[in-house]
């Protein structure tokens, strides 16, 4: 199947691609002359966790492809316990779609998967957007047991998407207001929904974070070989994957622009979707060898 | 005198404003509905050190005002040995021009002066752009005695503007090429030039950097009271004022977006003038309470 008639994650039907013994759930919408833009999702997130305000504006100039990795949502199989193994599935998925090169938005865990993919096969991406993520050997990656995070995650009054408002946004009135708007946007999709991730997904993904914190040899050395124009984005008050990880990315990647947002946490791009999509669209539209845009 | 007919720092005549016993050298060009944009200059820099590729694009939508602080270029008086004292001169200058509120580009030392000004009188600025600078209590600010900087500054084969190519840009071919283009642009101005700064200017400004590194009480606490939308810009490989200072600014200012450039040093905005002026123009054009643009 090719792109669908609707160009929003609120309405795009979920599709399934059979490849290498897997059935991968995905959504694909939009059209234009740009390369397809692959979205790789965060911890326990499914297709339904992509904010239409973040995905849809890209769809006017390119195909947007949202992807559930193995074992997530309605994608078959088990969630791998390493980022290296997770990276093989979107690679097979892109091969199955016949896409040799695309652009990518890798968010949180998805950014780590994107970094692993581009190391494994540099030609898979032209330009990369890495949001709220960390390089291998990064620090304080998704330690949900930290008291400040644990109390918000375990608060029984936070149900469903409400917990995202508490952990993706800061405590300011402006950020919490943006969080409410974010949840309203996610809730607009009412049919053809993904099952929420269960403890098996969370457990394997947490194991992958722990393994990703380890490094051998010179820390961050592998980043210097990645010359792809890259836009690194983070909220300055991210408690889940601290902004210092984005600093290390932009300092060590050969060709990266860093953009940080004020009064924002892990969900910075959901807090400022208009700014993010405007900046990212300008970045993707550039054809310079430099990431500067 | 009001704005001149030419809208370029290559051709704008130097003007002089007499105020509070001083004669301040400045250039003023451009027009439009935007607030005037005041440029505050770096260590030992004069009006002639403003790259027309960085100043001129702003002039199509607002007045650009370039300013020599006391004792610099043809401005009268002595260079103060503290940032606090330096901040009083542009404040008097703006009063003399009848400007109550403007926007500002503060570069390096000029960024420190801008921070001091906005603390002293918050209404003086609407939006701030802080390039390659540091908060009070910042680290490793302009230690020109560091071997890596000292050898380039003292190299007798670097004459005139050539030293800027060595200390404002990285050693990569792309960055050095941008440095050569920068020097060509500065050299386009042939008449009505400022005298280069001498050792007295450098000595007092270095003393001001040393005093600015000191802090009392909670480090960076004064930044949290500054709620002005602020755009912080730096090259990731700045050896004169390391990018960590820009991290501390964007983390502690209440309302700041950070933008860093790859393969760039202290002169990042001279390396990427098209990107910088595009980004800064979008930032200045925004009328949101948030710095996000």
């Amino acid at each position: 199947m090719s792109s669908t008639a609707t160009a929003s994650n609120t309405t795009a039907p979920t599709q399934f691609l059979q490849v290498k013994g897997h059935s991968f759930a995905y959504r694909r919408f939009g059209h234009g002359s740009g390369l397809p833009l692959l979205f790789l999702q965060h911890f326990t997130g499914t297709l339904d966790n992509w904010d239409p305000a973040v995905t849809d504006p890209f769809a006017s100039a390119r195909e947007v492809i949202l992807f559930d990795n193995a074992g997530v949502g309605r994608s078959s199989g088990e969630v791998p316990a390493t980022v290296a193994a997770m990276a093989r599935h979107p690679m097979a998925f892109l091969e199955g779609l016949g896409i040799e090169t695309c652009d990518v938005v890798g968010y949180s865990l998805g950014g780590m998967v994107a970094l692993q993919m581009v190391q494994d096969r540099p030609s898979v991406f032209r330009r990369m957007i890495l949001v709220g993520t960390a390089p291998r050997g990064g620090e304080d990656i998704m330690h949900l047991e930290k008291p400040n995070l644990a109390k918000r995650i375990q608060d029984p009054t936070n149900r469903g998407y409400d917990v995202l408002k508490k952990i993706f946004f800061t405590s300011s009135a402006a950020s919490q207001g943006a969080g409410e708007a974010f949840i309203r946007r996610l809730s607009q999709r009412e049919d053809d929904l993904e099952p929420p991730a269960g403890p098996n997904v969370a457990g394997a993904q947490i194991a992958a974070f722990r393994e990703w914190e380890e490094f051998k040899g010179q820390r961050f050395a592998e980043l210097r070989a990645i010359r792809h124009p890259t836009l690194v984005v983070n909220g300055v008050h991210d408690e889940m994957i601290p902004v210092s990880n984005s600093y290390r990315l932009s300092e060590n990647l050969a060709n990266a622009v860093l953009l940080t947002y004020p009064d924002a946490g892990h969900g910075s791009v959901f807090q400022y979707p208009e700014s993010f999509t405007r900046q990212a669209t300008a970045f993707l539209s550039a054809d310079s060898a430099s990431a500067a845009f």
Side-chain angles (χ1 to χ4, degrees), chain A residues 66-279:
Chain A
L66 315 182
F67 169 74
D68 268 346
N69 211 323
V72 175
R74 281 174 281 175
S75 285
S76 67
E78 296 292 314
V79 177
T82 67
V83 171
M86 287 178 186
R88 289 180 206 126
H89 295 298
M91 209 79 99
F93 169 74
L94 290 174
E95 285 172 23
L97 290 180
I99 294 174
E100 285 181 18
T101 300
C102 63
D103 294 329
V104 67
V105 174
Y107 174 33
S108 191
L109 176 61
M112 302 170 203
V113 173
L115 281 164
Q116 183 68 54
M117 289 171 73
V118 84
Q119 271 191 261
D120 294 346
R121 190 187 300 168
S123 64
V124 70
F125 298 134
R126 181 193 66 123
R127 291 187 157 234
M128 301 195 293
I129 300 171
L130 301 177
V131 179
T133 192
R136 175 173 285 284
E139 61 182 8
D140 191 13
I141 298 174
M142 294 292 287
H143 283 273
L144 304 184
E145 74 282 8
K146 289 191 293 190
N148 205 26
L149 285 174
K151 77 177 176 202
R152 283 179 270 169
I153 292 169
Q154 292 160 8
D155 181 345
T157 65
N158 291 328
R159 297 171 64 180
Y161 286 145
D162 284 350
V163 70
L164 297 181
K165 193 174 75 170
K166 297 299 178 190
I167 61 175
F168 278 9
F169 297 82
T170 76
S171 59
S172 78
S175 191
Q176 285 296 299
E180 284 166 24
F182 162 66
I183 291 171
R184 279 197 300 275
R185 292 192 299 269
L186 289 188
S187 306
Q188 284 169 355
R189 186 179 180 100
E190 297 182 331
D191 301 312
D192 181 23
L193 296 171
E194 294 284 89
N200 286 351
V201 173
Q205 291 181 339
I206 290 286
F209 290 131
R210 294 292 78 75
E211 197 276 339
W212 190 248
E213 284 181 328
E214 297 171 14
F215 65 99
K216 294 176 188 155
Q218 197 187 5
R219 203 174 196 174
F220 312 130
E222 73 281 6
L223 298 178
R224 284 166 217 147
I226 301 173
R227 303 201 61 82
H228 299 64
T230 303
L231 175 60
V232 179
V233 180
N234 218 136
V236 281
H237 302 306
D238 189 337
E239 293 182 81
M240 308 186 77
I241 301 184
V243 66
S244 58
N245 291 292
S246 288
Y247 300 157
R248 299 299 92 77
L249 281 171
S250 51
E251 291 165 0
N252 291 286
L253 285 165
N255 192 10
V257 163
L258 171 67
L259 182 68
T260 74
Y261 283 112
D263 185 30
H266 198 55
S268 65
V269 300
F270 305 138
Q271 182 166 345
Y272 300 106
E274 288 177 22
S275 171
F276 170 67
T277 55
R278 196 184 68 76
Q279 293 280 359

